[in-house]
Amino acid sequence: MTRVRDILLPQTDAKPLVDGFQRRISYLRLSVTDRCDLRCSYCMPERMTFLPRKEVLSLEELYRLSLGFIARGVTKIRVTGGEPLVRRDIVDLFRALGRELGKGLEELTLTTNATQLAGYADDLAAAGVKRVNISLDTRDRAKFAQLSRRDVLPQVLEGIAAAKAAGLKVKLNTVALKGINEDEIPDLVGWAHGEGFDLTLIEVMPLGEVEEDRVDHYLPLTEVRARLAQRWTLTPLSDSTGGPARYDRVEETGGRLGMITPLTNNFCAGCNRLRVTATGQLYPCLGGGERVDLRAALRSDDPDANLQAALNEAMRIKPEKHHFDISQRGAEPAQPRHMSMTGG
Ligand code: SAM
Ligand code: SF4
């Protein structure tokens, strides 16, 4: 079994991460694999080509890299993918990072499709994970099988129940898809709130080639919000989690409803995050092509110093904002990378 050893990084450069637009970076989204056991049609094609394993960072490298970020003031790490729970021995990384909680790291969390969560929820909670984001686009089994191309909704619901039973705070993420789940959105929100879960709706983004034209399923959340407001009283909440979501309280359910609107409402001014792929490529912007190679730094003669230099370079090149456009049929994606590659 792979063991994540304790690696003590020298504090070569303890300057906080601040980019050229004076945005303080405190949040890392760390992809631990590009692989996935589902094939959500808006995310990746059925015949997705995955990376050779040797290109992917080892658990030790992922840990060392995380320590480098924590040394520069990153307080929150979200482990993602692909599907993070398909990575072998991933709990070792959670345990190792969990030991950094309270020592610079304030929050350790993950985004998962929950297919394997039933087997992991207790271990994750024991490692120090308090909250989990779970992607759920529909509670209709046939629709789930069609959308994700795998008939595993029962396992996903079991995973969600296990997370709740383990005491993890659950937030559901739902991509709003025209003609697919749009009619189900009110029921999903009502169910989530009844279970005590927040739910965040997401606009589909033009990232990576898929078989379909995303224009066909793009559903602006401005429309969804207007429809939900006919049914419920939505009170905008001013408290922000520092992320791109805007929140409403649904007065009738008492739950929170988030909306991530990269297309209809640009949120880049408050961006506090960086993304690292499973191969150690740091993308300072989800929608941009700028990149810094952290794997080369990690595998160099002086990994810690070169990692810190690479982080400085990322601060220099982080763009002001993304330029998504999904209005043109047949257009190229904004970026050739799939969301599963960059880490959602
Ligand atoms: N496999 C995990 C999951 O599904 O939760 C984590 C990775 S997945 C790439 C993270 C999130 O990205 C999911 O909520 C998924 O629905 C979302 N996503 C994937 N492709 C997307 C796209 N093109 N536009 C918007 N959201 C997307
Ligand atoms: Fe896999 Fe998540 Fe992409 Fe679905 S959205 S194919 S679960 S990585």
Side-chain angles (χ1 to χ4, degrees):
M1 190 174 90
T2 314
R3 304 280 307 169
V4 176
R5 294 185 307 273
D6 265 342
I7 299 167
L8 289 176
L9 267 192
Q11 304 254 325
T12 43
D13 184 350
K15 263 198 333 240
L17 295 171
V18 178
D19 75 1
F21 302 92
Q22 299 311 308
R23 291 172 298 194
R24 170 88 157 78
I25 307 302
S26 56
Y27 181 10
L28 169 64
R29 293 176 89 109
L30 182 63
S31 174
V32 295
T33 178
D34 65 322
R35 290 168 194 253
C36 190
D37 52 349
L38 301 186
R39 294 288 183 281
C40 304
S41 57
Y42 54 80
C43 178
M44 60 171 84
E46 170 65 79
R47 289 167 179 275
M48 181 73 174
T49 311
F50 295 114
L51 294 162
R53 282 180 212 275
K54 65 175 182 344
E55 291 200 16
V56 171
L57 297 186
S58 68
L59 293 181
E60 284 88 349
E61 286 173 322
L62 288 164
Y63 179 51
R64 172 168 227 141
L65 182 144
S66 301
L67 292 184
F69 278 94
I70 295 168
R72 298 291 297 272
V74 162
T75 56
K76 174 171 172 178
I77 297 180
R78 175 177 300 282
V79 174
T80 181
E83 173 46 41
L85 298 183
V86 304
R87 172 105 195 225
R88 214 162 130 215
D89 297 327
I90 191 63
V91 169
D92 287 351
L93 181 66
F94 279 100
R95 289 196 185 110
L97 288 176
R99 289 196 286 274
E100 301 305 316
L101 287 164
K103 294 188 265 169
L105 186 63
E106 289 167 11
E107 186 173 10
L108 174 61
T109 179
L110 74 155
T111 300
T112 174
N113 63 26
T115 57
Q116 323 239 357
L117 191 53
Y120 281 108
D122 287 336
D123 285 344
L124 292 170
V129 173
K130 299 253 181 305
R131 301 194 303 149
V132 56
N133 281 9
I134 300 176
S135 304
L136 183 71
D137 299 326
T138 175
R139 287 174 63 238
D140 178 301
R141 184 166 177 174
K143 223 178 255 185
F144 186 98
Q146 187 194 358
L147 188 59
S148 72
R149 303 190 181 105
R150 302 291 184 267
D151 181 18
V152 292
L153 181 66
Q155 286 95 304
V156 168
L157 295 178
E158 210 187 309
I160 295 174
K164 184 176 174 181
L168 298 174
K169 186 150 174 42
V170 173
K171 178 164 81 69
L172 298 180
N173 284 342
T174 303
V175 178
L177 297 159
K178 183 159 56 178
I180 299 183
N181 65 359
E182 65 177 307
D183 294 340
E184 197 190 333
I185 289 173
D187 290 347
L188 268 171
V189 174
W191 176 75
H193 288 180
E195 291 284 325
F197 308 152
D198 288 343
L199 184 143
T200 292
L201 296 168
I202 305 173
E203 284 175 341
V204 70
M205 289 174 253
L207 297 170
E209 289 288 353
V210 288
E211 279 98 344
E212 59 194 44
D213 195 326
R214 290 194 182 87
V215 177
D216 295 332
H217 300 302
Y218 168 55
L219 181 59
L221 290 182
T222 40
E223 268 179 40
V224 177
R225 192 179 186 286
R227 263 185 270 154
L228 289 173
Q230 288 171 358
R231 172 174 176 154
W232 286 316
T233 316
L234 304 182
T235 308
L237 294 173
S238 54
D239 60 315
S240 157
T241 51
R246 306 267 166 94
Y247 288 95
D248 285 292
R249 174 165 304 289
V250 179
E251 297 301 343
E252 289 80 357
T253 64
R256 287 201 328 161
L257 174 64
M259 299 211 180
I260 299 185
T261 54
L263 284 307
T264 52
N265 187 352
N266 189 286
F267 45 61
C268 302
C271 186
N272 64 350
R273 63 197 58 198
L274 295 173
R275 291 179 154 85
V276 175
T277 70
T279 61
Q281 304 308 305
L282 187 161
Y283 285 97
C285 175
L286 178 64
E290 299 80 1
R291 142 180 103 90
V292 175
D293 187 356
L294 302 186
R295 186 179 60 185
L298 280 169
R299 295 183 181 175
S300 69
D301 292 344
D302 192 353
D304 300 324
N306 287 332
L307 181 61
Q308 295 307 328
L311 295 186
N312 292 340
E313 173 64 3
M315 290 303 92
R316 198 184 64 75
I317 64 172
K318 186 169 164 65
E320 187 179 12
K321 55 181 163 183
H322 69 68
H323 298 281
F324 288 144
D325 177 9
I326 204 165
S327 58
Q328 280 177 317
R329 183 168 296 281
E332 298 265 303
Q335 285 301 321
R337 307 185 305 274
H338 293 89
M339 186 83 141
S340 59
M341 177 74 197
T342 321

